[in-house]
Amino acid sequence: DMLIRVKLFAAMRDLTGDEVVEIELPDGATVGDLRRELGKQLPLARSLLLRSAIAVNHDVAENERPLRASDEVAAIPPVSGG
């Protein structure tokens, strides 16, 4: 297993009250697996997660992208307002 540290921004941070969450995932897990596990651990943020970008090492990542424990991961909700 690996421990992934996920930085939370904007509305995601406001909803959870945390700047960083740690998610344990099996080796070989993907961004999609991370999304599902985040949704389980942060039920208040689940609907926001569906619309949020997941960035891995400063690049927006597709759900199929495999993760490594050393990756820098961030959940970036859509910008609201106009």
Side-chain angles (χ1 to χ4, degrees), residues 8-15 35 45-55 60 74-82:
L8 304 178
F9 290 96
M12 190 80 72
R13 183 172 57 206
D14 297 342
L15 272 174
R35 269 186 203 275
R46 194 173 292 146
S47 65
L48 189 58
L49 265 169
L50 295 174
R51 295 177 286 134
S52 296
I54 302 292
V60 173
I76 307 166
V79 177
S80 60

Side-chain angles (χ1 to χ4, degrees), residues 17-76:
D18 290 316
E19 290 187 19
V20 175
V21 292
E22 292 187 337
I23 304 290
E24 192 168 325
L25 292 170
D27 293 332
T30 64
V31 169
D33 297 326
L34 176 69
R35 269 186 203 275
R36 280 188 290 280
E37 199 53 42
L38 271 170
K40 287 183 199 167
Q41 288 197 25
L42 307 172
L44 288 176
R46 194 173 292 146
S47 65
L48 189 58
L49 265 169
L50 295 174
R51 295 177 286 134
S52 296
I54 302 292
V56 179
N57 301 325
H58 306 283
D59 290 319
V60 173
E62 298 298 321
N63 284 337
E64 298 76 34
R65 179 178 174 151
L67 291 168
R68 295 189 309 264
S70 59
D71 286 337
E72 186 174 306
V73 180
I76 307 166

